[in-house]
Amino acid sequence: MPKNSKVVKRELDDEVIESVKDLLSNEDSPEDAFKKSELIVDVREEKDTDVEEESEVEDERPAWNSKLQYILAQVGFSVGLGNVWRFPYLCQKNGGGAYLLPYLILLLVIGIPLFFLELSVGQRIRRGSIGVWNYISPKLGGIGFASCVVCYFVALYYNVIIGWTLFYFSQSFQQPLPWDQCPLVKNASHAFIEPECEKSSATTYYWYREALNISSSISESGGLNWKMTVCLLAAWVMVCLAMIKGIQSSGKIMYFSSLFPYVVLICFLIRALLLNGSVDGIRHMFTPKLEIMLEPKVWREAATQVFFALGLGFGGVIAFSSYNKRDNNCHFDAVLVSFINFFTSVLATLVVFAVLGFKANVVNEKCIAQNSEMVIKFLKTGNISQDIIPHHINLSAVTAEDYRLVYDIIQKVKEEEFPVLHLNSCQIEDELNKAVQGTGLAFIAFTEAMTHFPASPFWSVMFFLMLVNLGLGSMFGTIEGIITPIVDTFKVRKEILTVICCLLAFCIGLIFVQRSGNYFVTMFDDYSATLPLLILVILENIAVSFVYGIDKFMEDLKDMLGFAPSRYYYYMWKYISPLVLSSLLIASIVNMGLSPPGYSAWIEDKASEEFLSYPPWGMVVCISLMVIAILPVPIVFIVRLCNLIDDSSGNLASVTYKRGRVLKEPVNLEGDDASLIHGKIPSEMSSPNFGKNIYRKQSGSPTLDTAPNGRYGIGYLMADMPDMPESDL
């Protein structure tokens, strides 16, 4: 017998077994036959297909090389420029050390629970933000699209700040630093200090005139600033090269971009503590002002800082966690990353105020020297009697305590004439109370302090290199929040999409490198993200807790993690977090309504900032940014509620995932019981395959297709059985 005779015989036997005659001779009732038919699946074929589908799902989705790489990516995304120049300002402004208490409370109430929620859904569903929210609630699928829009808005101006930082980094390799002294202006007869610089300061002049070459209003474009245009291009090239291979390339860079800032911060802290006056800054920082802490504004700003510090609503958290294994302990990750973020903010605050304390002492010493010279002149001219000055005080080399004593004596003796003398009290607290935030802290206050450091170019290079790394870490997460959902949903090539995304962002970003570009950065920062992100996170919470079901979600977490999460999260997600977020949203809207919309413009003649209102077209842009960011939510809701687009036309409701390509199928959004069992919308279920029926001669019979997770979806055939348990997420 030929060696393949067994194969021929088995095929003939299969033909006999699966013939119509055998089917018709089956005496079972149709219902029993249906039940038995599910048991006659060829075991070998099931096993092979199962392995094939499972391996395909695993191989198709990239994964982190290690848990450390993933943690560093999440830390790099959440720890950004805001930790260095926003948190210290809020801490100093809102009660010093007392501000840490409301921040910590709100971190536990809304920060960690919502961060854990985003990590969980990303890891469980293994999709970007679009796929995740389509999966959980089709009608709220617009949350994912809105997250991508907000991410793109933020990326547009955030990378401009990285471009500014690159410019300062490139200028730091000079001794002395170029912002150390005011420039001299020469004319035919003599040289004199630039008036604009003399009225402000060397660092302020360098920032507004040399770096930005800023115009006097947002309506005055002034053309492109070529230096900042080159820096913006360099920033986008860096982001593109780091992200072009997805987490395979960005994950390796995270080792440096996430860890290097901590090395610099610790070095800065050690160096700053050795400087004169650093302790004064730290003491001022942590002197609690309990009366300020009780104000509602403090809690609102603390909640906003918690919200943005963790990157909630951007989609980057979901995108990064979607590359995890399903059994990863994301609860541990949520707590770890949240507290790393908090302690990084505290560390950065210590560094900032130690440096600002040193700067305040330097400024105070100059103030004392200048005012001591004025007192000596008054003594020589007889305006002040020599008898009132204590004999042990030498005005030529006076200490801060001695000058304070002389100042108080003169103020008492010359009570009526004292205002005419124009003497300054020269107190360190007055200098430290001049709170600066954002770009003012990094590019003006900090740069001025570093000019007084020994080996100032070295520390300047380190500082701006740290800011570049902090900014890039956040940018990677922001871009991942755009790229991952689009790649998952539409199955485009990640490399091509990344290049197109970065190129388009650079072209749009030219708005921010005009001479008026800084004003547009302020506009986007104020209006493109704050309210839209708050609304998105509230909708995320509602989608999981009330639409999908908090009880079912807790069961999904138990199945995924291997243990039941604390009931604390149940109550936070269902009651406390929605209430706190809604209160924060209302407070933000009220605050935005009470605060006149405008920006701080640099007036060249006055050499100072002046608050200006946005022109009418500027108000239109502000409102448009908020509307466009949130618009995908109602659009997708209406499309899916009213079925406005034909199901078979490839619309949002009929996109699914299988074998690395997009499938389009007719669906019934309302009446498919199988989709409810699987917790999936019908659009994301696998298409029926009529080529592999259980009984090949029974044409048109339903088939056992695979579920989206690669397992056989028995629930598809048994959807009408009343005792079928609900499957997991």
Side-chain angles (χ1 to χ4, degrees):
M1 181 180 290
K3 63 180 180 179
N4 61 347
S5 60
K6 292 184 179 180
V7 177
V8 175
K9 184 177 184 301
R10 186 170 65 247
E11 289 180 353
L12 292 173
D13 290 343
D14 290 344
E15 190 70 21
V16 172
I17 291 172
E18 295 179 351
S19 67
V20 178
K21 179 180 177 181
D22 288 339
L23 289 175
L24 294 176
S25 66
N26 193 333
E27 297 179 359
D28 292 334
S29 64
E31 185 176 335
D32 292 336
F34 174 74
K35 292 178 180 178
K36 283 186 177 182
S37 69
E38 294 177 350
L39 303 176
I40 307 177
V41 180
D42 181 50
V43 176
R44 178 182 55 81
E45 183 180 359
E46 175 180 358
K47 181 178 179 181
D48 293 344
T49 310
D50 190 32
V51 171
E52 177 190 346
E53 293 289 344
E54 184 71 23
S55 62
E56 185 178 348
V57 171
E58 295 299 325
D59 294 340
E60 175 183 303
R61 189 95 183 147
W64 297 104
N65 292 333
S66 67
K67 181 66 175 283
L68 176 61
Q69 191 179 87
Y70 164 67
I71 293 294
L72 290 177
Q74 290 287 17
V75 168
F77 176 50
S78 65
V79 175
L81 299 175
N83 296 75
V84 176
W85 66 33
R86 178 71 178 164
F87 187 89
Y89 162 76
L90 290 174
C91 200
Q92 188 266 355
K93 173 186 173 186
N94 295 317
Y99 172 77
L100 298 179
L101 181 59
Y103 184 88
L104 202 53
I105 291 173
L106 290 167
L107 181 66
L108 296 173
V109 171
I110 63 173
I112 295 177
L114 293 174
F115 193 60
F116 179 32
L117 184 145
E118 290 202 355
L119 288 179
S120 302
V121 295
Q123 180 175 309
R124 181 65 171 177
I125 302 171
R126 294 172 66 76
R127 295 289 170 191
S129 55
I130 295 176
V132 160
W133 301 114
N134 277 342
Y135 192 109
I136 288 179
S137 174
K139 292 185 179 66
L140 293 178
I143 295 174
F145 291 95
S147 293
C148 292
V149 174
V150 173
C151 273
Y152 206 67
F153 281 161
V154 172
L156 287 175
Y157 74 85
Y158 201 90
N159 221 26
V160 175
I161 300 174
I162 298 177
W164 294 343
T165 309
L166 286 173
F167 173 77
Y168 267 80
F169 172 74
S170 66
Q171 299 298 306
S172 297
F173 297 89
Q174 302 178 45
Q175 177 68 29
L177 292 170
W179 50 83
D180 185 34
Q181 300 291 334
C182 284
L184 294 176
V185 180
K186 297 181 180 180
N187 58 17
S189 57
H190 64 283
F192 56 93
I193 297 176
E194 170 65 49
E196 186 181 0
C197 183
E198 191 174 20
K199 292 178 184 177
S200 54
S201 68
T203 51
T204 304
Y205 174 82
Y206 190 86
W207 166 240
Y208 284 116
R209 191 54 53 210
E210 296 294 335
L212 298 181
N213 193 19
I214 199 165
S215 62
S216 298
S217 73
I218 195 171
S219 301
E220 182 186 337
S221 168
L224 290 178
N225 181 339
W226 70 268
K227 292 182 286 189
M228 288 305 171
T229 304
V230 172
C231 291
L232 179 63
L233 177 61
W236 276 116
V237 169
M238 292 168 65
V239 171
C240 184
L241 293 177
M243 298 298 300
I244 197 165
K245 292 293 184 181
I247 63 169
Q248 302 301 331
S249 56
S250 65
K252 296 179 176 64
I253 298 173
M254 286 297 176
Y255 285 114
F256 180 77
S257 65
S258 297
L259 293 176
F260 180 74
Y262 291 96
V263 176
V264 176
L265 283 174
I266 292 171
C267 292
F268 256 102
L269 181 61
I270 295 172
R271 183 69 189 91
L273 289 175
L274 298 175
L275 296 171
N276 181 40
S278 60
V279 178
D280 294 327
I282 294 176
R283 187 189 302 115
H284 177 83
M285 166 66 230
F286 287 103
T287 300
K289 305 177 184 68
L290 297 177
E291 67 282 358
I292 299 179
M293 191 189 74
L294 300 177
E295 297 178 6
K297 181 186 69 172
V298 175
W299 291 81
R300 177 180 63 81
E301 293 188 344
T304 305
Q305 179 62 17
V306 167
F307 186 85
F308 288 105
L310 295 175
L312 301 174
F314 282 93
V317 173
I318 294 175
F320 279 151
S321 65
S322 71
Y323 299 111
N324 272 332
K325 295 180 180 178
R326 291 186 188 275
D327 59 350
N328 174 62
N329 187 351
C330 56
H331 175 256
F332 172 79
D333 301 341
V335 176
L336 178 64
V337 173
S338 297
F339 278 102
I340 288 177
N341 187 292
F342 173 69
F343 289 120
T344 304
S345 298
V346 175
L347 175 62
T349 301
L350 287 171
V351 172
V352 167
F353 275 86
V355 172
L356 292 182
F358 163 70
K359 172 181 172 286
N361 268 268
V362 172
V363 173
N364 199 52
E365 288 174 2
K366 289 183 179 179
C367 176
I368 290 173
Q370 292 173 355
N371 283 268
S372 297
E373 291 179 2
M374 293 174 63
V375 172
I376 293 173
K377 288 181 181 179
F378 292 143
L379 289 173
K380 290 180 179 179
T381 57
N383 291 348
I384 298 176
S385 173
Q386 183 71 48
D387 298 335
I388 66 174
I389 306 298
H391 298 291
H392 69 280
I393 294 178
N394 179 12
L395 289 173
S396 300
V398 66
T399 63
E401 292 77 11
D402 289 344
Y403 173 78
R404 184 64 193 174
L405 177 61
V406 171
Y407 179 86
D408 290 339
I409 293 173
I410 296 175
Q411 188 176 27
K412 290 177 182 178
V413 173
K414 296 285 187 178
E415 185 174 355
E416 296 181 358
E417 302 174 10
F418 184 77
V420 182
L421 300 178
H422 300 294
L423 291 176
N424 197 313
S425 60
C426 297
Q427 296 190 56
I428 292 178
E429 288 74 16
D430 294 338
E431 187 66 28
L432 288 171
N433 281 328
K434 296 177 182 177
V436 289
Q437 64 158 322
T439 54
L441 177 64
F443 298 114
I444 298 176
F446 227 92
T447 51
E448 184 175 344
M450 284 186 295
T451 58
H452 303 292
F453 275 32
S456 55
F458 169 78
W459 293 105
S460 183
V461 167
M462 294 290 282
F463 176 70
F464 288 110
L465 186 57
M466 177 192 72
L467 290 187
V468 169
N469 278 274
L470 286 172
L472 287 177
S474 297
M475 274 298 296
F476 294 157
T478 304
I479 297 298
E480 199 67 56
I482 303 168
I483 301 296
T484 297
I486 295 177
V487 170
D488 287 344
T489 305
F490 302 107
K491 302 301 176 188
V492 296
R493 287 198 54 166
K494 176 165 281 190
E495 295 87 349
I496 297 175
L497 179 62
T498 303
V499 172
I500 293 174
C501 178
C502 293
L503 184 61
L504 180 62
F506 168 72
C507 294
I508 299 174
L510 294 177
I511 298 172
F512 304 104
V513 290
Q514 304 173 94
R515 290 184 58 198
S516 60
N518 185 45
Y519 307 138
F520 285 96
V521 170
T522 302
M523 176 190 289
F524 272 66
D525 190 31
D526 290 340
Y527 292 96
S528 70
T530 306
L531 287 183
L533 281 180
L534 267 173
I535 295 171
L536 291 181
V537 174
I538 291 172
L539 292 175
E540 288 180 4
N541 200 339
I542 292 172
V544 171
S545 300
F546 300 101
V547 179
Y548 183 77
I550 190 64
D551 295 307
K552 186 178 179 184
F553 186 63
M554 295 296 284
E555 286 297 319
D556 293 332
L557 289 180
K558 182 179 179 181
D559 174 67
M560 181 174 70
L561 300 175
F563 63 88
S566 169
R567 294 293 288 180
Y568 168 80
Y569 294 103
Y570 178 92
Y571 295 110
M572 288 294 108
W573 287 329
K574 191 167 185 180
Y575 302 111
I576 306 299
S577 294
L579 181 63
V580 173
L581 287 172
S582 300
S583 302
L584 178 59
L585 177 63
I586 294 171
S588 299
I589 293 174
V590 170
N591 180 68
M592 191 173 288
L594 295 177
S595 304
Y599 60 100
S600 295
W602 179 256
I603 309 301
E604 183 176 356
D605 297 337
K606 299 178 181 178
S608 63
E609 288 185 332
E610 181 178 314
F611 184 83
L612 298 179
S613 297
Y614 286 116
W617 64 264
M619 289 299 303
V620 172
V621 174
C622 293
I623 296 172
S624 300
L625 288 174
M626 293 186 287
V627 171
I628 293 172
I630 207 67
L631 196 59
V633 175
I635 288 178
V636 173
F637 182 84
I638 293 171
V639 166
R640 287 181 170 163
L641 180 67
C642 303
N643 198 19
L644 297 180
I645 302 178
D646 182 66
D647 290 338
S648 60
S649 62
N651 57 75
L652 295 177
S654 62
V655 177
T656 185
Y657 317 102
K658 183 170 170 61
R659 296 184 181 274
R661 64 181 185 274
V662 180
L663 297 179
K664 301 166 185 175
E665 56 190 334
V667 296
N668 179 5
L669 290 176
E670 303 296 336
D672 195 335
D673 294 334
S675 66
L676 299 178
I677 288 178
H678 281 266
K680 291 202 49 100
I681 63 171
S683 62
E684 292 178 344
M685 291 163 48
S686 300
S687 300
N689 182 355
F690 295 103
K692 290 186 179 180
N693 295 327
I694 298 172
Y695 299 103
R696 280 180 275 144
K697 295 298 182 181
Q698 187 178 356
S699 62
S701 62
T703 65
L704 262 176
D705 202 13
T706 53
N709 62 359
R711 299 289 182 185
Y712 277 102
I714 303 298
Y716 285 85
L717 296 180
M718 303 175 66
D720 294 329
M721 295 183 64
D723 56 348
M724 180 66 188
E726 290 184 340
S727 65
D728 293 331
L729 186 62

